[in-house]
Amino acid sequence: MADFTVGDDDHFRIDGRPVRLLSGALHYFRVHEAQWDHRLSMLRAMGLNCVETYVPWNLHEPQPGRFRDVAALGRFLDAAQRAGLWAIVRPGPYICAEWENGGLPVWVTGRFGRRVRTRDAGYLDAVRRWFAALLPQVVERQIDRGGPVIMVQAENEYGSYGTDQVYLGRVAAMLGECGVSVPLFTSDGPEDHMLTGGSVPGLLATANFGSGAREAFRVLRRHQGAGPLMCMEFWCGWFEHWGTPPVVSDPVRAAGALREILECGASVNIYMAHGGTNFGGWAGANRAGPLHDQGLQPTVTSYDYDAPIDEYGRPTEKFWLFREVLAEYADGPLPELPAEPAGLAAPLRAALSDWAPLPDVMEVLGEEEQPESGMPPTFEELGVDRGLVRYRVDVPGPRQPYTLGVSGLRDRAVVYVDGVRRGVLCEEDGALEEPVSGPAEVELWVESLGRVNYGPRLGEAKGITGGVLHERQYLHGVRARALRLDAFEGPAAVSGVPFVPVDGSGRGGLYRGFFEVADAGGTGHAGLELPGWTRGFVWVNGFCLGRYWSAGPQRTLYVPGPVLRDGVNEVWVLEVEGAGAPYVELGPGPASRAAAGVPEVAGA
């Protein structure tokens, strides 16, 4: 048992002894559980004494009162303690984290809309029920009960969103009511309006930034005159969006920024120490523009973040430079690195021999079709978080050919008219190029590319949020049917799909293939590529690797080694727009970004 306190003398203390927190962000939900121990050992080897994680509400409560593996957080905290790390927990309820909907469940934002993250009684009741289910995992693992948890965050970067101090106070009070006794804190950007909006009297305020520590802490001191200084998110890299260039930060500059934080006498949480992967289609999205009200920017599946430990669990040049800096602040010699995970021994090609068109997949795995409605229901109204919704509507006739389009499309639709594909629509381009005459039956297969996780557009609806128009006339009598990604969970999920041999047409649908691995137990990872494919999702042995998209910049999907098995393995590809070569390629993954000069700093 130990006592962790936030002193008024600029120090954190454990049993009265001053300590500096050298923390690294690692999200348990972005790393396969069988790899937690290795990744946590990598944090220790880099010179860290603490790990920080968010908790995504929507992953654990996908429907009201239906909780799913909340105990995963407890298992991760136990793994952190085995690794000799303290733990910082950030349970939200909102987390941002470039995660779908900022971690808020669809049923919450669909029900409460703009009232989320405010003092609204209904929203707070939902938060209270969630905290009651989650927080026992934290409370029983607090440091004063012999566990690793030393601090818990109240909300997250609220100063970037609002000014409802009543709400923040109630969230903090709920944490205490649920038994959280370790110190609470807030984190915000080092700007006056953010710290004013996001801080809570009596709680430690921390700052998030990627450089300029001295100036950032000067601003923080204007708002909090005493207490430990901490950069709760030291952004040593950044995330990437589909259709944009890769984002890479300079390792030497990042190491210099880390050194500046520590020279200020501050504690730090490296965001991210190891980013991991947005498995299962859980990647979020952002909006462009000064008011975050312009084009959607969906986040890629990889959350590598240009972190010091890359997506494949390997040390990078940044790792070695950070280790050199952190070694100066360690209590003793740093531990050796664990064995590096081995990539797939030899590249292989998995032929995709079986195929089923999307309508056939929908018949087996889809929800019941909704009754006709005057206007198309949104994903939220259908209770759909991730996946596709097929909207069907008739163009009455006879009538002349007119433009067919969609208002309020979020985010992308493949359109068929009388069974013939006629085009792909998106929010910015919501009308078919060729006019459509009536009578005709129109199908629109609509996909969310990820819900906004940051800013005022948090919680915006997905699907067809306006209507289907022919000329300037709404088309009514819409039938909607959902195909959820969750329907594909598990290795036997597609056993009832009526597959036929691949015909080479390149049409959308569900493709299936097989490949053999001789020594899966010795494989730490693989990388999977889809030459010529357009957009969709991939599963290996029933485990969803996430979304692929020819828009780039990501070309390779990460396959955790524990997903593979000795002998025959099964791969599924759900292609939404257009298939490429009738196979997928697996290999050891992209080359490590470790620098050639590593040995000179490896012993630090």
Side-chain angles (χ1 to χ4, degrees):
M1 308 292 181
D3 183 40
F4 179 86
T5 57
V6 175
D8 56 9
D9 60 352
D10 301 347
H11 292 295
F12 294 110
R13 293 181 180 274
I14 291 185
D15 292 336
R17 175 177 59 88
V19 295
R20 187 196 299 256
L21 300 184
L22 304 174
S23 180
L26 191 162
H27 301 154
Y28 67 94
F29 47 93
R30 283 180 160 129
V31 178
H32 193 284
E33 183 166 353
Q35 297 173 319
W36 287 348
D37 288 339
H38 174 269
R39 303 303 193 261
L40 291 165
S41 295
M42 288 292 289
L43 264 63
R44 286 282 294 119
M46 191 165 64
L48 301 178
N49 58 23
C50 185
V51 62
E52 171 268 310
T53 186
Y54 279 123
V55 182
W57 183 3
N58 51 8
L59 180 68
H60 294 299
E61 192 181 5
Q63 296 175 5
R66 185 170 74 84
F67 297 101
R68 181 166 60 183
D69 198 17
V70 177
L73 173 62
R75 297 195 301 273
F76 177 75
L77 295 174
D78 292 342
Q81 188 167 33
R82 287 196 303 272
L85 295 166
W86 296 313
I88 297 170
V89 180
R90 302 168 81 183
Y94 161 83
I95 63 170
C96 183
E98 290 72 59
W99 188 258
E100 164 86 6
N101 222 25
L104 297 176
V106 164
W107 59 267
V108 169
T109 53
R111 180 184 301 174
F112 299 109
R114 292 174 299 163
R115 293 177 288 154
V116 301
R117 303 187 77 190
T118 72
R119 68 189 76 181
D120 179 81
Y123 169 68
L124 287 173
D125 283 344
V127 174
R128 186 173 290 106
R129 290 190 294 271
W130 160 235
F131 277 180
L134 171 72
L135 290 175
Q137 300 294 323
V138 177
V139 169
E140 64 190 37
R141 292 172 174 85
Q142 295 178 116
I143 191 168
D144 57 2
R145 300 192 183 191
V149 178
I150 55 171
M151 287 202 298
V152 172
Q153 180 172 276
E155 241 276 352
N156 180 59
E157 292 185 314
Y158 191 73
S160 298
Y161 183 80
T163 60
D164 193 340
Q165 291 293 307
V166 173
Y167 164 63
L168 287 181
R170 289 181 180 170
V171 169
M174 278 186 214
L175 293 168
E177 291 162 6
C178 289
V180 175
S181 57
V182 295
L184 303 180
F185 69 93
T186 59
S187 66
D188 289 284
E191 299 183 41
D192 289 325
H193 72 285
M194 293 182 179
L195 288 164
T196 300
S199 299
V200 176
L203 302 192
L204 177 71
T206 65
N208 301 340
F209 53 85
S211 61
R214 290 180 175 85
E215 174 60 19
F217 289 138
R218 186 183 67 81
V219 175
L220 181 60
R221 274 288 179 245
R222 286 208 299 265
H223 295 260
Q224 185 167 263
L229 292 173
M230 183 163 188
C231 178
M232 188 53 66
E233 290 186 15
F234 165 51
W235 302 320
C236 65
W238 207 244
F239 51 91
E240 296 177 341
H241 293 129
W242 291 113
T244 63
V247 179
V248 179
S249 62
D250 178 70
V252 174
R253 188 175 302 164
L258 174 62
R259 183 179 296 278
E260 182 181 354
I261 292 171
L262 299 176
E263 287 174 348
C264 291
S267 291
V268 67
N269 178 51
I270 296 169
Y271 193 100
M272 298 289 299
H274 171 60
T277 309
N278 293 311
F279 298 119
W282 283 106
N286 292 285
R287 285 279 182 184
L291 297 178
H292 300 271
D293 59 353
Q294 297 176 19
L296 189 78
Q297 300 173 316
T299 302
V300 302
T301 295
S302 171
Y303 201 65
D304 178 87
Y305 213 87
D306 197 20
I309 304 164
D310 73 9
E311 186 177 15
Y312 289 69
R314 304 169 299 192
T316 67
E317 178 186 5
K318 196 175 291 181
F319 175 95
W320 297 108
L321 293 174
F322 281 16
R323 178 176 158 101
E324 183 178 27
V325 172
L326 292 166
E328 299 175 24
Y329 297 86
D331 292 334
L334 299 186
E336 295 297 320
L337 277 67
E340 184 170 315
L344 195 67
L348 58 88
R349 178 174 290 182
L352 298 172
S353 55
D354 305 329
W355 169 76
L358 284 173
D360 290 357
V361 179
M362 178 69 82
E363 285 302 313
V364 176
L365 298 178
E367 305 282 304
E368 291 294 322
E369 186 164 73
Q370 298 296 301
E372 282 191 5
S373 57
M375 296 297 282
T378 65
F379 278 38
E380 282 66 23
E381 289 167 334
L382 295 169
V384 175
D385 52 8
R386 295 153 300 121
L388 305 170
V389 171
R390 182 188 66 188
Y391 295 94
R392 295 196 296 175
V393 66
D394 294 328
V395 179
R399 59 172 62 195
Q400 297 298 313
Y402 292 115
T403 298
L404 181 82
V406 179
S407 65
L409 175 61
R410 300 191 190 125
D411 294 307
R412 200 167 175 91
V414 182
V415 183
Y416 297 83
V417 178
D418 291 331
V420 178
R421 177 175 153 164
R422 295 289 294 273
V424 179
L425 307 181
C426 60
E427 185 178 49
E428 297 80 11
D429 187 7
L432 293 178
E433 291 184 4
E434 297 294 326
V436 174
S437 58
E441 182 182 64
V442 178
E443 286 189 8
L444 304 100
W445 290 79
V446 179
E447 179 188 355
S448 163
L449 299 177
R451 285 178 174 78
V452 169
N453 52 256
Y454 178 84
R457 294 288 285 269
L458 177 73
E460 67 179 8
K462 291 293 187 178
I464 299 179
T465 66
V468 183
L469 296 115
H470 193 233
E471 207 257 346
R472 288 161 291 183
Q473 185 184 68
Y474 279 117
L475 299 177
H476 301 292
V478 181
R479 291 94 69 198
R481 190 173 186 184
L483 179 61
R484 302 171 184 270
L485 283 192
D486 285 350
F488 295 85
E489 286 187 356
V494 304
S495 59
V497 174
F499 287 104
V500 297
V502 169
D503 62 6
S505 64
R507 288 181 288 170
L510 182 64
Y511 290 76
R512 181 175 64 178
F514 302 90
F515 61 95
E516 290 195 21
V517 175
D519 181 19
T523 301
H525 57 254
L528 185 147
E529 297 188 12
L530 299 101
W533 293 69
T534 309
R535 194 182 88 255
F537 298 88
V538 181
W539 292 259
V540 171
N541 295 327
F543 180 89
C544 186
L545 306 181
R547 174 182 281 114
Y548 65 90
W549 195 355
S550 60
Q554 183 176 357
R555 301 295 179 191
T556 306
L557 293 178
Y558 174 69
V559 184
V563 169
L564 301 172
R565 57 195 183 207
D566 285 334
V568 177
N569 294 256
E570 190 168 346
V571 59
W572 312 327
V573 181
L574 183 68
E575 171 61 51
V576 179
E577 292 192 23
Y583 54 82
V584 300
E585 295 178 334
L586 292 101
S592 171
R593 289 181 285 109
V598 162
E600 282 70 25
V601 298

